[in-house]
Amino acid sequence: MKFMIVSGSNRKDATSTQLCRYIERLLRESGHEAALFDLWEKPLPFYTKDSQPEDANVSELKQGLLEADGIVLATPEYHGSLSGVLKNALDFAGFDHFDGKIVLSVSSAGGAVGVSSLQHLQTIVRNVHGINCPEWISIGGAQRTFSPDGVPEDEKTRERVQRTLNYFTKMVRTFRMK
Ligand SMILES: Cc1cc2nc3c(=O)[nH]c(=O)nc-3n(C[C@H](O)[C@H](O)[C@H](O)COP(=O)(O)O)c2cc1C
C-alpha cells in the first residue's frame, strides 16, 4: 500500500519530522511505499481562493495525497492546536484527497502529550471526509529524543509507534480492499 506522511513543523530537525522519518522507515520495512512531505523543506505559499501561480511543492503535495491509500499528518502542538503551516497545507486539499481514506494523526508537544492538536487535526480530517484512525501518537517532553540514526530513545515510544502503525495499516488495508 501507498502512504503519504505530511510533517507539519516549520523547522529543521523538528522532533515531529524525526518521528515521521521513523514512521516512514517502519512502513517501508513492512513492505509499503511511503513518502514524506516535510513542510519545512518544501514550503508552500499561503492558500488563497483567488487564482494563484502554479507551485511545484503544492502540486507534489496534492499528487501524493491523491495517490495515497493511507495518510499520516504530524504536527507540533502550538498553543493547544496544530501548526499554521500544516493548516495552510490542508487548505490546499479537500474531498478529492481524503474521502474514504484512513488518516493517522501524530503530534509532538513540549508537555507530556499533545492531545489538543490531535483533536483539532481530527476535526479537519472529518471535514474533508477522511476517516480518523482511532489510535493516534503523541510524543512529549523527554520522549522527543532520537538516536543519531533516527530511532526514538524511549522504549515505550518505540512500542507505541509500532503498535499504532500495525493498527493503522490493518485499517487502511480493510478500507482499501476492492
Ligand atoms: C508557538 C509555540 C507554541 C507552543 N505551544 C505549546 C502548547 O500549547 N503545548 C505544549 O505542550 N507545547 C507547546 N509548544 C512546544 C512545542 O509543542 C514543542 O517544542 C514541540 O516538541 C515542537 O515540535 P517540533 O520539534 O516538531 O517542532 C509550543 C511551541 C511554540 C514554538
Side-chain angles (χ1 to χ4, degrees):
M1 292 183 297
K2 225 170 180 173
F3 291 87
M4 178 71 164
I5 306 163
V6 183
S7 177
S9 186
N10 195 28
R11 72 184 188 95
K12 191 169 182 276
D13 296 328
T15 52
S16 50
T17 308
Q18 292 186 64
L19 181 57
C20 286
R21 287 198 198 107
Y22 183 60
I23 288 172
E24 180 187 30
R25 183 200 298 192
L26 292 181
L27 287 170
R28 286 185 177 167
E29 281 173 4
S30 51
H32 301 293
E33 276 183 59
L36 172 60
F37 192 98
D38 176 358
L39 287 163
W40 181 81
E41 273 180 1
K42 294 176 180 168
L44 308 185
F46 280 125
Y47 174 79
T48 168
K49 203 171 182 301
D50 292 346
S51 71
Q52 203 169 22
E54 217 173 278
D55 179 272
N57 290 346
V58 171
S59 303
E60 184 184 328
L61 174 73
K62 287 166 81 171
Q63 193 57 32
L65 291 172
L66 264 186
E67 290 174 6
D69 295 303
I71 297 168
V72 179
L73 300 176
T75 184
E77 175 112 346
Y78 278 176
H79 303 323
S81 191
L82 64 152
S83 68
V85 291
L86 182 58
K87 177 63 173 70
N88 182 58
L90 293 172
D91 288 343
F92 283 97
F95 298 153
D96 289 350
H97 310 91
F98 282 92
D99 193 19
K101 293 183 186 175
I102 310 296
V103 182
L104 172 66
S105 292
V106 173
S107 75
S108 171
V113 282
V115 166
S116 189
S117 56
L118 293 175
Q119 284 172 334
H120 292 184
L121 255 183
Q122 291 208 334
T123 298
I124 295 170
V125 168
R126 185 180 62 75
N127 276 277
V128 289
H129 291 186
I131 302 165
N132 282 304
C133 178
E135 291 285 350
W136 57 25
I137 303 169
S138 177
I139 55 168
Q143 295 169 325
R144 295 172 298 165
T145 51
F146 291 78
S147 68
D149 61 340
V151 177
E153 284 182 344
D154 176 51
E155 190 186 346
K156 283 210 163 72
T157 301
R158 293 197 297 275
E159 285 168 9
R160 168 89 187 142
V161 173
Q162 187 61 71
R163 203 171 55 245
T164 304
L165 284 184
N166 292 346
Y167 185 93
F168 169 58
T169 51
K170 192 173 158 201
M171 208 175 159
V172 174
R173 189 172 299 112
T174 306
F175 275 76
R176 297 299 275 183
M177 275 194 317
K178 301 273 188 305

